Amino acid sequence: MAMTAPGTTSPAISSSQDTDLDHLDHLLTPKQRARLESIASALKYTCRDQIVYHQGQVADALYFLDLGMVELTTYQKSDGDRHIVAFLYPGDLFGLSEDGRYLNTVRTLAPTKLYRLPLDDLQRLLVQDARLQLLFLAKAAQELRKAQRQKIVLGQRDPCRRLASFLLEFLRSNQYYDPETRIVSLPMNRRDIADYLALTHESVSRALAKLETEGMVQRQSPRLVRLKDMRALNDLATY
Amino acid sequence: MAMTAPGTTSPAISSSQDTDLDHLDHLLTPKQRARLESIASALKYTCRDQIVYHQGQVADALYFLDLGMVELTTYQKSDGDRHIVAFLYPGDLFGLSEDGRYLNTVRTLAPTKLYRLPLDDLQRLLVQDARLQLLFLAKAAQELRKAQRQKIVLGQRDPCRRLASFLLEFLRSNQYYDPETRIVSLPMNRRDIADYLALTHESVSRALAKLETEGMVQRQSPRLVRLKDMRALNDLATY
DNA sequence: CGGAGCATTGAATTGCATCAAGGCACGTGG
DNA sequence: CCACGTGCCTTGATGCAATTCAATGCTCCG
């Protein structure tokens, strides 16, 4: 495991506190921005459940999520068991591959805008501009931290703990969390949450119910959850 | 999630099939090697259970594992529950940090040799040499793949499946796996394995016993496990 | 002084009881 | 109709405790 973005000690590099508004863009010089735009093509998905690419397809590009939300899933063996590896927020990069093939299937969960960066062009660009490459390295380190955290969350066997960690992930999001009302607006269904947390959808329901009876959250509707006792949630959550 | 090493499509970049012998070194030009050596300091640990650094210490260097094996652990909250994030093989980089502090504690599991690369020197070097930086980016992508796989393994609830995946990880290792006899020589105890797989040490024992009664493995001694039915293990394992 | 045998420690394993997550079925509501 | 929630039952992982085993250190005796 591991890889520190060398830049995390430098103010020039992205902090670990990315939010919806804190995109890669803000860190770019005008020239870098122009160069990236010259190789990028914008993609827009107006509805959810659209596939960006499939696991196993030849990997020829990296993607930058600008708006919306996508899920990254991996399908196991022959049996259909699905595993959601991550939910991605604006500012995240995706396109992880191995032996030239994408490792995941990427699906939109909401109207989404993203940029497609062809790998060969991008590599050329990153070799030309080493400072720009440092930003990508920092992004990679950020994803690594996220994966490590998530691994620890999955290590917890109490569904409530996993769910608490999951809910708290939304604090980063401007789009799906309103600090005023402290309401999380879940862009995915119980099944998706279950596949992400390695639970069944029933267990997700039950865990949510338990958190509610314990006064930590309050369900306005299935997709709208108000975080009542942030302190207790934080204590429960692993990270 | 995600980040493809742009280089995975280029033969110049490290393949995903790293083994103990396939170190970063082999991919470096003599000049790159010399530059890295000029900023690196070699560290040798002659026995196991030595701490390289502690979680929370100020992160000022990246490390390259040259020989031996280390474990990367994260300690939770106040209670002592420990989570082993990864076991590292020769060729791996470590030193992941957040807000300038190391995220893990690194401990040797065997006599170990590693190189210490101060972050400020390294960043300078990577800005000078963008091609060298691509190698680091590729390493980061590799760690990301590893973390993603591990996350899926932890998603499985059957301890046997997790253990099978764990045992198969050793196939990469020249040091701890002998293809002739097909014997894995475990460098860690049951407790460590348990903390890695999010099980109890009893569950590890039981899972191993079950794999043995089903003819997939054979215990020569607690630390020596012969892989009898590779096919069945692969079917059982997630990845 | 040296070596055989015993004691101690810790890891690993196994039996047993418990408990909680999963799976099924059904009901509800948008 | 599909997503969500919930009661009931089953299953299997956990936790505790007892046992085995290995390695080490120690004593005591030759």
Side-chain angles (χ1 to χ4, degrees), chain A residues 115-183:
Chain A
Y115 292 101
R116 184 176 190 282
L117 306 167
L119 278 186
D120 43 5
D121 294 336
L122 182 61
Q123 178 164 357
R124 238 189 316 276
L125 189 55
L126 294 185
V127 169
Q128 279 173 23
D129 187 345
R131 296 223 167 255
L132 177 62
Q133 191 181 166
L134 275 184
L135 296 182
F136 279 79
L137 200 50
K139 280 285 178 194
Q142 179 187 321
E143 294 301 330
L144 205 45
R145 284 191 292 266
K146 211 162 106 178
Q148 231 183 63
R149 266 196 289 274
Q150 189 57 20
K151 218 155 77 172
I152 293 171
V153 169
L154 291 186
Q156 305 288 343
R157 56 202 74 273
D158 181 7
C160 290
R161 285 179 176 260
R162 298 194 209 175
L163 190 63
S165 301
F166 172 72
L167 289 173
L168 292 178
E169 281 182 45
F170 282 91
L171 296 188
R172 287 177 47 208
S173 165
N174 293 329
Q175 193 171 359
Y176 298 106
Y177 177 68
D178 177 8
E180 288 303 319
T181 60
R182 295 200 297 194
I183 288 180

Side-chain angles (χ1 to χ4, degrees), chain B residues 170-208:
Chain B
F170 283 90
L171 296 188
R172 287 177 48 208
S173 165
N174 292 329
Q175 193 172 359
Y176 298 106
Y177 177 69
D178 177 8
E180 288 302 319
T181 59
R182 295 201 297 193
I183 289 180
V184 174
S185 165
L186 300 171
M188 72 291 282
N189 62 26
R190 297 289 185 267
R191 179 50 175 244
D192 290 333
I193 299 175
D195 287 347
Y196 179 59
L197 297 177
L199 299 169
T200 59
H201 62 99
E202 293 100 325
S203 290
V204 173
S205 273
R206 282 188 274 257
L208 199 55

Side-chain angles (χ1 to χ4, degrees), chain B residues 3-231:
Chain B
M3 185 72 209
T4 299
T8 46
T9 55
S10 152
I13 308 291
S14 89
S15 96
S16 57
Q17 302 295 332
D18 284 343
T19 66
D20 283 6
L21 293 178
D22 179 23
H23 286 190
L24 202 58
D25 309 336
H26 297 182
L27 305 163
L28 300 174
T29 65
K31 192 162 191 173
Q32 286 174 334
R33 201 180 199 302
R35 278 180 182 154
L36 268 178
E37 276 178 0
S38 75
I39 68 167
S41 51
L43 297 176
K44 281 177 189 168
Y45 298 88
T46 54
C47 50
R48 42 173 295 143
D49 275 329
Q50 301 296 300
I51 302 293
V52 179
Y53 58 74
H54 280 285
Q55 174 179 3
Q57 280 183 3
V58 171
D60 56 356
L62 211 61
Y63 293 84
F64 175 75
L65 179 58
D66 191 43
L67 282 174
M69 192 169 212
V70 300
E71 64 169 31
L72 239 129
T73 70
T74 296
Y75 293 91
Q76 232 48 39
K77 307 259 153 135
S78 49
D79 59 358
D81 78 59
R82 183 179 71 138
H83 209 282
I84 296 186
V85 174
F87 295 110
L88 266 52
Y89 293 87
D92 284 338
L93 284 171
F94 60 95
L96 190 67
S97 64
E98 186 167 53
D99 301 328
R101 306 258 170 192
Y102 287 123
L103 283 173
N104 310 288
T105 296
V106 178
R107 190 166 64 95
T108 63
L109 287 176
T112 292
K113 182 184 175 193
L114 43 85
Y115 292 100
R116 185 176 190 283
L117 307 167
L119 279 186
D120 43 5
D121 294 335
L122 182 61
Q123 179 163 357
R124 238 189 317 275
L125 190 55
L126 294 184
V127 168
Q128 280 173 23
D129 187 345
R131 296 222 166 253
L132 177 62
Q133 191 181 165
L134 274 184
L135 296 183
F136 280 78
L137 200 50
K139 280 285 177 195
Q142 179 186 321
E143 295 300 331
L144 204 46
R145 285 191 292 266
K146 212 162 106 178
Q148 231 183 63
R149 265 196 290 273
Q150 190 56 21
K151 218 154 76 171
I152 293 171
V153 169
L154 291 186
Q156 304 288 342
R157 57 201 81 270
D158 181 6
C160 289
R161 284 179 176 260
R162 298 193 210 177
L163 191 62
S165 301
F166 173 72
L167 289 174
L168 292 178
E169 282 182 44
F170 283 90
L171 296 188
R172 287 177 48 208
S173 165
N174 292 329
Q175 193 172 359
Y176 298 106
Y177 177 69
D178 177 8
E180 288 302 319
T181 59
R182 295 201 297 193
I183 289 180
V184 174
S185 165
L186 300 171
M188 72 291 282
N189 62 26
R190 297 289 185 267
R191 179 50 175 244
D192 290 333
I193 299 175
D195 287 347
Y196 179 59
L197 297 177
L199 299 169
T200 59
H201 62 99
E202 293 100 325
S203 290
V204 173
S205 273
R206 282 188 274 257
L208 199 55
K210 194 172 175 189
L211 290 185
E212 189 165 32
T213 63
E214 290 178 4
M216 298 191 197
V217 305
Q218 188 178 0
R219 284 176 286 191
Q220 318 293 87
S221 82
R223 298 285 187 109
L224 293 180
V225 179
R226 197 161 76 81
L227 308 182
K228 281 183 70 180
D229 189 345
M230 209 67 94
R231 176 64 176 274

